[in-house]
Amino acid sequence: MEHVFEHVTPYVGYVYPNETDFAWSQLIVIYPYITGLVAGAFVISSLHHVFNIKSFAPVSRFALLTALCFMFFAPTPLLFHLGQPTRAFNAVITPHWTSAMAAFGYVAGFYLCLLLLETWFAFRADIVAMSKSKTGIMRKVYGLLTLGSDDVSPRSLAIDHKFARILSMIGIPSACGLHGYVGFVFGSLKTREWWSSDLMPVIFLLSAVGSGVGLLIVLYVIASKVRKTEIADDTMRGLLYVLFTAITVVMVIEGLELLEIFYKAREGVETVRELIMGPIWAGMVIQWAMSIFVLAVTSALLVYDVHGKRLVTWLFLSGLAIMIGVLAMRWNVVIGGQELSKTMKGLLTFYPEVFGRESLFVVGVISVCPYVTLWLATKLLPPWEKSKTAIENASKFSLNKQHSVA
Amino acid sequence: MNKLPSEEKVTTHHTKLEEEAGTLSRRDFLGFLGKGAACAGAFIGAGAAIGAVEAETGKHAFQQNDAQYEEAVNNPPQIPGYNWNDHQWAMGVDTTRCIGCLRCMEACKMENSVQMDANHHRTWVERYVYLEGSNTALVDSQTDPKNIENAGSETKFRFDDRYRHVKVDKAFFVAKLCNQCEHPSCVQVCPTGATFKSKDGPVLIDTTYCIGCQYCVQACPYGARSFNESRGTAEKCNWCYHRITKGLNPACVEVCPTGSRIFGDRNDPESPVSLFIRNNHVQVLKPEMGNAPNVFYKGTDKEVV
């Protein structure tokens, strides 16, 4: 018997002897985090596709690609975490339906298929165009991506649009379901006081929307800077509304959750207090400081009706802040829940591994992967609608060219 | 003999125990464990077989090696004449009798090839001490760093004498193990059904089907489950299923010198456990969880977790 790795987690008070071996590590922190980003990004894409909110048009397809690329990596942390990753599909082949976890393969698989389909419908016209304009191997790649459907008549495009819209509509409850489900995995465990809450799925879902919007704001601003294109003021205002709504509701519900724990003051409530003041104090400070920052900034942006460059700067900072805050919240839930012993008489302090299968290094690599994939995906399927200035520039360029030829 | 990590530093995290016992000779170990350990046999997931094990790998000499484990899992011994519909196993713990000698822990680790470090246990004993004038108990188990330091090793199971110079109002020991619940949370949350409730009571694990997600470890209210990193699967007490199906007592019951652990078939009204339950006021742990445990305690206390 080879020992693969061992943890001995230091503790105070009394904890069950088996608890010193930490069951769910930082990989399980980023799993709901990545899933949350997917849900949030998808919601923005849907606001355009389903509700036809025009201000989200510039980022709609980009949001869809973001959701897809992050969804590719949502199950990865789980695979790294499993003791027997090669048996992962046992849960899909022979699901044990009383387990919340058994549904994961189906929920995630369904959602991934839905995202792939919707992406295809949303990009089909572009794919067809590129399969005709590109040369060499890329021409073949795009040819394959058309799946043999190269009809771009107005009627056909209307059908595309209709399908994308329907898929997007199905996608909204699916995205909510996917993330609400992740919250259920934690909230349904009666064993752990810190998890066992009816509010958990709601908290997970709403913070997911917040972090996803934050991600989109950050990516949209960076992408626009890199591409040297204008940042649409309407879009930023739209994202601001969503972010403000999300952070307000999340903070209220998270506050209620804490209030309930301390107001009910069940056995062991002192230990919960010590958990917050002790092992997860830094996480709690980050989570709440970031939340308050986002709430303050978005409120100010709304009150002072800020537009233009100042809006971009402050909303960018808010986006970053909510991403960090939600990551801290995931840590506080997943790690904090286990740091509070089942005995309610002891507290563990988790120290993550730096290298190894379940380490910060792996977490870092997995966290970077979706961004790299997204970058590649935007190369393959440029999601940006051509802005007016770009079109003007292009036409000027072609005019100049014609002149020079003449 | 190399020092075990626990002998050097007890509370360090990320301790690699790989080299542990690497050079412990077989004789040393058998000498320490006593030579009575002889019962070999296994059920799927029980992972049990000890005895005269050739320590090819140089690891824990008395424990199952990889080949034996594989054999036990792939080719479980047939037990003719055992019908699981005929039995309803149950366990009693008389805390008033427990002296905290921890022979049960030692026997369990040997019998079931449980990992020898302080983070993996199928059974353990908790010590509750009310100091004079105090309304709450101080709790520790053998895995408390001070106890390990005092014993000198994770593989020697002793409580220290830290309360020798203080006035104690009340003190007692409580043995813990899997409660083989009627409504086991671990079975409820297992995504593959690798862990299941057998007809005769014990909750078992099919280690050939477990994916190692550790949801069950999280779900157990009693902290009875652990994770075997080397096998990548969950572990738990199964009341020595390989023994009880042959008419033997679980190892911990067998070695208990004071009769603190009582085992038997509830279908038999004259079995030790049936008599124990009938003749005593018994309680279960954390009844509010709704798991309906099958380990019945006599003489627990408000402080018992």
Side-chain angles (χ1 to χ4, degrees):
Chain A
M1 287 207 299
E2 293 286 323
H3 285 280
V4 182
F5 56 88
E6 296 282 347
H7 287 285
V8 181
T9 315
Y11 64 90
V12 293
Y14 179 67
V15 305
Y16 289 129
N18 288 334
E19 283 187 295
T20 49
D21 190 20
F22 234 69
W24 287 355
S25 65
Q26 59 273 14
L27 280 172
I28 308 300
V29 174
I30 59 160
Y31 153 63
Y33 185 61
I34 294 179
T35 326
L37 296 177
V38 174
F42 187 83
V43 165
I44 297 299
S45 135
S46 297
L47 285 176
H48 170 62
H49 278 132
V50 180
F51 304 112
N52 210 13
I53 300 178
K54 289 276 188 274
S55 57
F56 292 113
V59 287
S60 162
R61 294 206 305 176
F62 179 65
L64 189 59
L65 269 192
T66 308
L68 179 67
C69 293
F70 277 76
M71 193 59 211
F72 282 137
F73 292 94
T76 324
L78 298 182
L79 283 176
F80 271 92
H81 171 258
L82 287 187
Q84 292 283 355
T86 53
R87 296 181 192 164
F89 278 98
N90 282 7
V92 181
I93 304 161
T94 54
H96 185 234
W97 287 118
T98 59
S99 168
M101 211 179 263
F104 176 75
Y106 293 96
V107 177
F110 173 77
Y111 192 57
L112 186 61
C113 292
L114 189 123
L115 280 174
L116 279 170
L117 265 180
E118 193 185 334
T119 309
W120 187 75
F121 278 113
F123 284 89
R124 199 184 66 88
D126 293 23
I127 295 171
V128 172
M130 283 186 287
S131 74
K132 295 198 168 124
S133 63
K134 296 273 176 182
T135 54
I137 191 157
M138 287 319 284
R139 189 186 179 92
K140 286 198 174 133
V141 170
Y142 285 113
L144 277 177
L145 283 178
T146 60
L147 304 178
S149 161
D150 57 357
D151 180 3
V152 282
S153 62
R155 189 176 153 269
S156 167
L157 289 182
I159 293 172
D160 276 0
H161 186 71
K162 198 176 160 194
F163 268 105
R165 185 152 180 258
I166 291 170
L167 287 169
S168 200
M169 278 176 78
I170 302 170
I172 294 173
S174 307
C176 295
L178 174 71
H179 211 72
Y181 155 79
V182 174
F184 182 79
V185 165
F186 293 94
S188 63
L189 278 189
K190 60 189 170 191
T191 317
R192 295 207 177 272
E193 181 71 12
W194 194 235
W195 290 349
S196 168
S197 161
D198 302 337
L199 290 175
M200 201 53 90
V202 187
I203 291 177
F204 264 67
L205 183 57
L206 291 167
S207 57
V209 173
S211 65
V213 177
L215 172 74
L216 265 190
I217 293 169
V218 169
L219 288 179
Y220 178 53
V221 172
I222 291 176
S224 302
K225 293 283 173 205
V226 170
R227 295 170 57 242
K228 296 193 174 62
T229 50
E230 231 176 83
I231 298 170
D233 202 57
D234 268 4
T235 310
M236 291 306 265
R237 289 293 292 184
L239 290 169
L240 168 65
Y241 300 149
V242 182
L243 185 59
F244 173 77
T245 313
I247 192 70
T248 316
V249 186
V250 166
M251 282 182 75
V252 168
I253 296 189
E254 279 175 355
L256 281 174
E257 159 90 16
L258 282 178
L259 183 67
E260 279 207 17
I261 288 179
F262 289 111
Y263 197 82
K264 284 178 188 165
R266 283 194 285 235
E267 193 183 353
V269 69
E270 305 82 16
T271 325
V272 177
R273 191 174 295 126
E274 277 169 37
L275 170 77
I276 294 170
M277 310 297 269
I280 58 165
W281 75 270
M284 285 305 262
V285 168
I286 295 172
Q287 178 188 339
W288 285 94
M290 291 296 164
S291 301
I292 292 167
F293 173 80
V294 175
L295 183 67
V297 170
T298 49
S299 305
L301 291 176
L302 286 172
V303 169
Y304 294 107
D305 197 22
V306 178
H307 290 267
K309 210 173 171 188
R310 274 171 70 200
L311 172 67
V312 172
T313 312
W314 284 103
L315 202 55
F316 179 79
L317 289 177
S318 303
L320 264 184
I322 198 166
M323 285 180 71
I324 297 166
V326 171
L327 181 60
M329 175 259 176
R330 302 287 190 250
W331 175 281
N332 296 339
V333 170
V334 176
I335 301 297
Q338 298 171 84
E339 286 179 327
L340 180 63
S341 169
K342 290 171 185 172
T343 63
M344 296 303 274
K345 281 180 188 291
L347 287 174
L348 298 122
T349 306
F350 175 69
Y351 290 93
E353 262 190 326
V354 180
F355 293 104
R357 190 170 60 118
E358 285 198 55
S359 61
L360 289 176
F361 176 72
V362 172
V363 164
V365 172
I366 295 176
S367 304
V368 169
C369 283
Y371 294 97
V372 177
T373 315
L374 180 62
W375 178 70
L376 291 174
T378 53
K379 297 280 160 204
L380 184 71
L381 302 171
W384 310 106
E385 297 196 340
K386 286 202 175 84
S387 64
K388 272 181 196 167
T389 47
I391 294 169
E392 279 166 14
N393 285 342
S395 54
K396 268 182 202 166
F397 177 72
S398 56
L399 276 175
N400 289 341
K401 219 174 170 184
Q402 279 170 4
H403 281 301
S404 59
V405 169
Chain B
M1 194 198 280
N2 273 1
K3 272 189 170 182
L4 290 176
S6 61
E7 292 168 314
E8 292 158 9
K9 204 172 182 190
V10 184
T11 50
T12 48
H13 46 87
H14 302 185
T15 314
K16 287 271 178 193
L17 298 182
E18 279 164 21
E19 303 81 15
E20 157 190 6
T23 53
L24 286 185
S25 77
R26 183 170 160 236
R27 184 184 294 170
D28 286 336
F29 243 110
L30 287 180
F32 153 58
L33 294 166
K35 288 169 186 153
C39 177
F43 180 78
I44 291 182
I50 57 156
V53 175
E54 285 305 318
E56 300 120 298
T57 55
K59 309 262 168 185
H60 313 300
F62 60 88
Q63 291 200 315
Q64 229 176 11
N65 61 30
D66 289 344
Q68 286 169 318
Y69 170 68
E70 214 162 286
E71 170 66 14
V73 166
N74 294 329
N75 194 13
Q78 302 299 312
I79 308 156
Y82 182 78
N83 185 346
W84 72 359
N85 294 310
D86 296 344
H87 304 277
Q88 202 54 56
W89 302 112
M91 172 92 77
V93 175
D94 187 346
T95 60
T96 59
R97 282 168 170 261
C98 183
I99 55 171
C101 68
L102 298 168
R103 289 321 97 198
C104 48
M105 232 176 129
E106 185 181 80
C108 176
K109 288 245 180 186
M110 287 157 59
E111 177 68 29
N112 296 300
S113 289
V114 181
Q115 285 150 289
M116 289 304 287
D117 55 72
N119 314 298
H120 300 85
H121 303 277
R122 293 187 179 196
T123 184
W124 65 95
V125 178
E126 290 163 358
R127 170 168 66 177
Y128 291 81
V129 177
Y130 284 79
L131 297 181
E132 199 177 50
S134 173
N135 197 31
T136 52
L138 296 166
V139 196
D140 67 324
S141 73
Q142 179 271 332
T143 59
D144 186 278
K146 278 191 202 160
N147 288 333
I148 294 174
E149 207 175 328
N150 181 60
S153 161
E154 282 169 289
T155 59
K156 287 178 186 161
F157 309 101
R158 304 272 187 284
F159 279 108
D160 66 3
D161 56 356
R162 68 181 76 170
Y163 301 113
R164 196 168 50 168
H165 300 301
V166 287
K167 294 226 165 165
V168 170
D169 260 355
K170 175 167 82 169
F172 53 93
F173 296 100
V174 178
K176 293 284 186 77
L177 69 164
C178 172
N179 285 279
Q180 321 290 0
C181 311
E182 279 307 297
H183 310 296
S185 324
C186 53
V187 171
Q188 184 187 29
V189 302
C190 177
T192 62
T195 190
F196 57 98
K197 174 97 179 146
S198 66
K199 291 269 176 65
D200 45 356
V203 173
L204 305 175
I205 306 172
D206 180 349
T207 53
T208 62
Y209 212 70
C210 172
I211 61 174
C213 66
Q214 302 179 58
Y215 205 10
C216 56
V217 179
Q218 301 288 10
C220 176
Y222 307 101
R225 280 181 173 248
S226 62
F227 183 66
N228 187 328
E229 286 88 357
S230 46
R231 289 175 185 164
T233 54
E235 289 249 345
K236 70 181 281 295
C237 160
N238 50 27
W239 283 347
C240 288
Y241 201 70
H242 57 288
R243 289 175 60 91
I244 61 175
T245 47
K246 290 180 196 139
L248 299 166
N249 270 329
C252 57
V253 177
E254 193 71 36
V255 298
C256 181
T258 60
S260 168
R261 292 181 183 237
I262 299 108
F263 186 79
D265 187 351
R266 290 196 75 180
N267 284 353
D268 171 9
E270 296 305 313
S271 73
V273 80
S274 296
L275 291 171
F276 176 76
I277 294 168
R278 195 187 312 146
N279 297 334
N280 293 293
H281 293 176
V282 291
Q283 286 168 306
V284 292
L285 299 174
K286 297 190 180 176
E288 73 279 6
M289 288 287 166
N291 281 29
N294 274 314
V295 176
F296 300 91
Y297 285 82
K298 176 189 171 189
T300 56
D301 189 88
K302 72 174 176 67
E303 288 290 290
V304 174
V305 286

